[in-house]
Each structure stands twice: as C-alpha cells, then as structure tokens.
Amino acid sequence: MQTAILRTEDVTKVYHTGAVDVHALRGIDLSLYEGEIVVLLGASGSGKSTLLNILGALDRPSSGRVFFRDQELTDLSDAALTEFRRDRVGFVFQFYNLVPSLTAQENVALVTEIAEAPMTPAEALSRVGLSERMSHFPAELSGGEQQRVAIARAIAKRPDILLCDEPTGALDSKTGITVLEALVEVNRSLGTTTALITHNAAIRRIAHRVIYMADGEISRIEENPNRVAPSEVSW
Ligand code: ADP
Ligand code: MG
C-alpha cells in the first residue's frame, strides 16, 4: 500500500478575468505518493501549472480540498500556508531566477540560511553534480548548470515535495538530460517526491507514473513499470 503525501479532492480553479470565467481545473482527484516521480503531460492551457501551484500552496483552489499527509491545507491561514511552503516544498521553474551578483554557493545559501535543518550549499551542489562550479556566477554557467543550481537551491532545505514546472523547457536535449539526471538522482538518494510538468512526451519514460491532463481534467493516469534513465531519453 502506497502512502499519499499530497492528495486533492475534487479541486476546481476558476479564474475570473474579463467577461468570461476560465475553468482551469474541473474537479481534480489526485494522490502523489511518497518517493515517486510523477510526470504531468498535457497541452498548453490544460491546467498543469495551476494544479502544481495549488499542490505547492502557491495558490488556493476555488473549491475542493488539498491534504498534505493528514493535514488539510485548504483549512490553513495564509501565514500557515507560507510556513508549509517554506518547510516542505521546493520549486523549480523554467527560468532559473538566480541572483546574478551571487555565486552558485551564495544563491543556495540564501535558502539554507532560513531553513530549519538544511544541508550545506556544498552538499546540495554536489548532489546535482556542481561541486566544481560552486564559486561561479550565473553568467559563467551554462543554462543546464544554472538550472541545476536552481535544483540545488530547491532541495537544500530537504523538502518533502519537489515541484518542477517545465524545468527543461528552455534547454536543448543534451543539456535537458543533465537536469533530469539531477532530479532523478535527488529522488533516488533523498526519496523526494517529485512532480514534473513537461509538454515533452518523451520525458514520461523517467517517471514512476504519468498523469495526462486535458481541458482542466485528468484524462488518464499510467503506471510506468519500465522506467529508463534520462540518458535513454531523447527529443
Ligand atoms: P498549462 O500549465 O497546462 O499550460 P495553466 O494552468 O497555466 O495551463 O492554465 C490553465 C488555464 O487557466 C488556461 O486557460 C490559462 O489561460 C488560464 N490561466 C492560468 N493562470 C491564469 C491567471 N492567473 N489568470 C487568468 N487565467 C489564467
Ligand atoms: Mg504551465
């Protein structure tokens, strides 16, 4: 029996902008299980980012409930949600958002200085294969290396959940694979539950499960018993 770490119950999200309401999520029932890598696939506009942001408590649903283990997140105050996010969730986005005037190590230290029981920046960077690049500035690093710094920054606080929105979206195939390798290694060694959005279907092969979204709904969930290493994936 797998343990759900995050669970949604009939989650909807409606954006009220302009004359028409956008139904971004139309009743999502989903569990993410301890230690798994899930890939979320779906066309642009299908609701992937909206769902990820709600799972990571960056946003609230319009209706429905979200649970982290036994705790209902949808009950929490804004302050308590912020605390949940700070302690439990790591985010990685398509653009790395590193501070240009700080080295790789200093960028990671921004997070470790405020976390409860963080790993050192050196350990976090070593886990993504950047031990030799710690004192480089972002401008001295390739796109893939910068994204791995962003991953190091996200995992340094030892989050329970790592949420990645198009982490390879700005990268070529070869560089994207080094980023996926870092994510798979973090998942393997730390057991961090990882959800990864992509519109690149080939990447589903690295996941334990694949969640297909269409038009604000989950259209299909597949188990992937034949996972492959990122180096086996090409696009
Ligand atoms: P995906 O990540 O799959 O491309 P999104 O979750 O970003 O999809 O968007 C789902 C739908 O919600 C789209 O129609 C999008 O235009 C709309 N949407 C997303 N964010 C907002 C927002 N902040 N305000 C209004 N509409 C939004
Ligand atoms: Mg998106």
Side-chain angles (χ1 to χ4, degrees):
M1 192 48 192
Q2 289 175 299
T3 313
I5 185 164
L6 273 179
R7 184 163 61 83
T8 70
E9 267 182 25
D10 202 16
V11 158
T12 74
K13 182 71 179 184
V14 185
Y15 291 109
H16 309 279
T17 44
V20 283
D21 288 348
V22 175
H23 293 262
L25 297 176
R26 302 167 182 268
I28 300 287
D29 292 295
L30 176 65
S31 291
L32 297 187
Y33 298 110
E34 201 87 62
E36 71 174 343
I37 298 182
V38 158
V39 161
L40 283 142
L41 279 175
S44 179
S46 57
K48 304 181 298 295
S49 295
T50 301
L51 177 57
L52 206 77
N53 291 345
I54 288 173
L55 289 172
L58 278 176
D59 199 0
R60 290 178 185 272
S62 302
S63 68
R65 310 208 289 170
V66 182
F67 295 86
F68 170 73
R69 302 209 170 97
D70 293 329
Q71 179 177 37
E72 182 172 353
L73 298 181
T74 26
D75 266 353
L76 298 181
S77 66
D78 286 349
L81 264 193
T82 299
E83 191 176 330
F84 163 78
R85 212 165 50 227
R86 193 193 57 210
D87 295 343
R88 304 291 189 181
V89 190
F91 289 98
V92 177
F93 297 103
Q94 178 171 358
F95 301 103
Y96 330 119
N97 303 316
L98 302 176
V99 180
S101 59
L102 299 179
T103 64
Q105 185 166 19
E106 289 164 349
N107 266 280
V108 177
L110 286 179
V111 170
T112 55
E113 276 160 16
I114 59 167
E116 243 175 32
M119 57 183 88
T120 61
E123 179 184 346
L125 286 162
S126 136
R127 287 184 180 279
V128 298
L130 289 179
S131 289
E132 311 300 314
R133 295 281 186 279
M134 293 205 305
S135 46
H136 287 58
F137 292 93
E140 301 169 335
L141 299 169
S142 71
E145 288 170 338
Q146 290 183 59
Q147 187 61 296
R148 284 186 282 149
V149 175
I151 293 169
R153 181 180 58 187
I155 62 158
K157 63 182 174 185
R158 304 180 194 278
D160 296 75
I161 312 141
L162 185 60
L163 302 175
C164 311
D165 196 343
E166 303 272 7
T168 62
L171 302 172
D172 62 59
S173 167
K174 188 158 160 272
T175 312
I177 285 163
T178 64
V179 166
L180 296 177
E181 281 171 337
L183 291 172
V184 167
E185 176 56 19
V186 164
N187 168 263
R188 191 196 60 75
S189 58
L190 299 176
T192 313
T193 305
T194 302
L196 192 168
I197 290 179
T198 176
H199 53 240
N200 183 346
I203 292 176
R204 75 186 185 285
R205 299 177 64 211
I206 72 164
H208 296 96
R209 285 194 305 149
V210 188
I211 293 162
Y212 294 87
M213 292 192 67
D215 209 12
E217 294 180 317
I218 292 174
S219 52
R220 189 154 50 104
I221 297 182
E222 276 174 7
E223 305 271 338
N224 179 23
N226 304 310
R227 290 178 68 209
V228 301
S231 58
E232 304 286 307
V233 177
S234 59
W235 64 85

